[in-house]
Amino acid sequence: MSQTVTAPAAVMAASGLACARGGIAVLDRIDLELAAGEALVLRGPNGVGKTTLLRTLAGLQPALAGRLAVDPEGVVYAGHLDGVKAMLTVTENLTFWARCFGTEPRETVARAVQAFDLDGLTDRAAGTLSAGQKRRLGLARLLVTGRAIWLLDEPTVSLDTASVALFAAVMRRHLAAGGAAILATHLDLGIPARSLDLSAFKARALIEHDDFNEAFL
Amino acid sequence: MSLWEYANPKRFMQISAAVLPWVAGFGGVCLAVGLIWGFFGTPEDYRQGATVKIMYLHVPAALLAINGWLMMLAASLIWLIRRHHVSALAARAAAPVGLTMTVIALVTGAIWGQPMWGTWWVWDPRLTSFLILGLFYLGYIALWEAIDDADTAADLTSVLCLVGSVFAILSRYAVLFWNQGLHQGASLSLDKEENVADVFYFPLLLCIAGFVLIFLALVLYRTRTEIRLRRLQALMARDRLL
Amino acid sequence: MIALLRRDLTLAVRAGGGFGLGLAFFLVVVILVPFAVGPDTEILARIAPGVLWLGALLACLLSLDRIFALDWEDGSMDLLATAPLPLEGVVAVKALSHWLTTGLPLTLAAPVLGVLLNLPTPGFAWLVLSLALGTPALSIIGAFGAALTVGLKRGGLLLSLLVLPLYVPTLIFGAEVARRGSEGLELGSPLAFLAGISLGVAALMPYAAAAALRVNLR
């Protein structure tokens, strides 16, 4: 993606971004900017394209149009699935991701375990965890990657109230340390965040009745 | 005007609609004349007898089986590089036609081989290569059918076509290494002194022209169908969206 | 990359299945052959190299769809794709761990099964060598097939249809080395071709497989 001139503090900036799901444009003309220490909450009804936008920002799928300026090595994505291996223990799961992202496992894993209150579970196989515990493990992965921009898709699914508070605390610390995050969530986490309603960016279908172009629309 | 403007579906539909009847008609005439001339107007071969006349079906079909794959390879490359949907759809449209040609070549070859070699099938390098080519066609078609999202399917089949081409060539040489074979040399070539005798040559050329034109007509027709199908899917998807 | 390899191997060992199933399949196929062609030791000795190669190939095919499917289903693939590891490297590591858990045990088990089929004595060393050279190619080509079909619900059968024609050259040269070895013939050129295919495939196939994975990740 090409670089755009943005405010110095911006760690991620998109302009005129359009993204597609299944070959059909769902979102169009999105402008967003994210500064260090800032969180952005994506809102909108189901199916509006929150996941699609997050995947595009994470570089998992190409944008249809527009510019995206972000350091791809600074981004970490957490989707609906946790990427947790049932056969590995909690520590092994986290250690693997730490090695993968090139951080020092001993130090980061201990911090992540503590932050998400997984202390008593470290030697349990992840397959025996409850859904909420697994989710916490999935979120703990964010900490061991050592990356600044978190792209989170429904991070609070299957978390209980206490765990949500735990997550909000982690979030607050992350932002205070100069990190940034874009979340798709329906819950109010009680952290200072701007919100962006994606319904406003719904792609308008090009109406061309008797003339069809390359994209068949 | 650039060549690529023909890749616009609308323009493609207009031009192909105008061209299609001519290609099909001309191909039919060529094939009919070539076959009648070949079957009734040429002498029997002094060694092979009347069976030599299978050549008029076997050679053009074999030619198109290979060139059909080459066309798919070219179309896949164009899709991967320039992202013209028509190109991907043309590759998709050509595959079943190419597979049919492969089957015709194999079946006529077997019928020819029975009186000549005394067996319906030998594991001769040429026959084996064609069998493997048929498998590649099958896999390619199956992959197209299996994937729902049209662009994903186009991308993946194109990658398969590229990799498959490399392996088809590898298999060809591997098979040559494996068994030297009974099959006669190529019936036609540009740089060789020894071609089939002139009496067979012209009706054979006519048959080849007929086969090529009919192949083109079928691919054009199928591509038009695919384009209409894609248009329909796109409209339905838009309907769901709005 | 080493971390990924270590994780995949740990998973394969803990989940079982990996080695065991492929090996058992190989064993069963080889045991069934004499029932199908008769117990004549001379015939068995003649077809032994081919049967062992074919058995190894089919056993290899059996576990191909697991190369990416497990990581795909639990979302690890998305995360690996955004990790600093290049996707080509991920493919190469996955193919390597597939080979270590199937190709290598098959290679080591082949001589034992060779005894059952009366493989002539000079053939054993060449059989092992040809399998050792050829099975990596099977794993890497298989990884490409798995990358093509990873997004599909029922990709297993399609995967076999796609991968088997791609296996033809490897099978021809591999079985040729084993056959010539058991008959005491000169086998330099098929051996060189087999090694060439393995090396060429190892160098280029990860790019094709990674391209297919990227398309599937969209």
Side-chain angles (χ1 to χ4, degrees), chain A residues 55 58 60-62 72-73 75 77-78 81-85 87-89 92 96-97 99-101 141 147, chain C residues 3-4 6-7 10-11 14-15 70-85 214 217-218:
Chain A
R55 289 181 70 87
L60 284 167
Q61 60 181 65
E73 299 280 282
V75 173
Y77 168 80
L81 299 164
D82 293 316
V84 163
K85 286 290 170 198
M87 293 306 220
L88 298 182
T89 66
E92 282 170 331
F96 164 68
W97 288 114
R99 291 222 175 88
C100 233
F101 282 81
R141 184 184 59 89
R147 289 194 164 178
Chain C
L4 181 59
R6 216 194 294 173
R7 182 192 71 149
T10 315
L11 283 172
R14 290 208 190 146
L70 297 178
D71 278 340
W72 182 268
E73 279 157 14
D74 66 13
S76 302
M77 212 64 228
D78 286 349
L79 309 178
L80 280 175
T82 48
L85 226 58
R214 281 201 189 91
L217 277 168
R218 283 205 306 243

Side-chain angles (χ1 to χ4, degrees), chain B residues 136 139 142 146 155-156 163 167, chain C residues 148 152 158 162 166 205 216 218:
Chain B
F136 275 114
D155 280 329
L156 292 179
V163 173
F167 274 84
Chain C
L148 280 180
L152 299 171
L158 180 64
L162 294 181
L166 299 178
M205 212 51 140
N216 268 324
R218 283 205 306 243

Side-chain angles (χ1 to χ4, degrees), chain A residues 183-194:
Chain A
L183 309 84
T185 178
H186 299 282
L187 228 64
D188 187 16
L189 289 175
I191 51 172
R194 281 188 296 142

Side-chain angles (χ1 to χ4, degrees), chain A:
Chain A
M1 291 293 140
S2 52
Q3 298 286 315
T4 45
V5 184
T6 51
V11 289
M12 176 184 263
S15 59
L17 204 66
C19 25
R21 180 178 56 221
I24 311 287
V26 286
L27 293 167
D28 199 8
R29 295 179 310 277
I30 297 171
D31 298 306
L32 62 82
E33 215 168 84
L34 191 66
E38 198 182 14
L40 180 66
V41 177
L42 303 179
R43 305 223 181 250
N46 292 128
V48 77
K50 296 188 289 290
T51 300
T52 310
L53 177 60
L54 282 172
R55 289 181 70 87
T56 309
L57 293 176
L60 284 167
Q61 60 181 65
L64 271 188
R67 293 156 178 278
L68 173 65
V70 64
D71 173 18
E73 299 280 282
V75 173
V76 60
Y77 168 80
H80 294 287
L81 299 164
D82 293 316
V84 163
K85 286 290 170 198
M87 293 306 220
L88 298 182
T89 66
V90 169
T91 315
E92 282 170 331
N93 266 303
L94 289 174
T95 308
F96 164 68
W97 288 114
R99 291 222 175 88
C100 233
F101 282 81
T103 58
E104 173 51 50
R106 226 162 297 158
E107 183 189 322
T108 50
V109 168
R111 221 177 42 221
V113 162
Q114 205 208 342
F116 280 95
D117 194 21
L118 295 163
D119 291 299
L121 307 169
T122 46
D123 291 326
R124 283 259 298 275
T128 65
L129 299 181
S130 75
Q133 288 167 332
K134 227 181 263 180
R135 189 78 215 180
R136 261 151 54 201
L137 174 54
L139 292 171
R141 184 184 59 89
L142 296 169
L143 286 174
V144 305
T145 61
R147 289 194 164 178
I149 308 170
W150 293 357
L151 301 174
L152 310 177
D153 196 356
E154 305 282 2
T156 52
V157 168
S158 67
L159 291 184
D160 59 15
T161 329
S163 303
V164 171
L166 213 56
F167 169 64
V170 171
M171 222 26 214
R172 236 174 268 127
R173 277 204 300 280
H174 176 64
L175 297 178
I182 299 182
L183 309 84
T185 178
H186 299 282
L187 228 64
D188 187 16
L189 289 175
I191 51 172
R194 281 188 296 142
S195 72
L196 182 71
D197 193 345
L198 290 184
S199 332
F201 298 101
K202 205 166 161 181
R204 288 174 306 191
L206 306 156
I207 312 284
E208 290 167 90
H209 279 299
D210 47 10
D211 182 50
F212 53 106
N213 64 11
E214 267 291 271
F216 300 96
L217 268 178

Side-chain angles (χ1 to χ4, degrees), chain B residues 2 7 87 97 106 111 145 172 182 225:
Chain B
S2 117
S87 181
V97 187
L106 283 173
I111 297 172
E145 295 303 322
R172 173 96 182 96
L182 288 172
T225 314

Side-chain angles (χ1 to χ4, degrees), chain B residues 170 173-175 177-178, chain C residues 53 130 168-178 189-191 193-195 197:
Chain B
L170 262 180
Y173 286 101
V175 164
F177 179 86
W178 166 73
Chain C
W53 248 92
S130 69
V168 169
T170 317
L171 176 63
I172 286 181
F173 290 124
E176 189 74 6
V177 170
S189 44
L191 193 64
F193 281 125
L194 182 64
I197 286 177

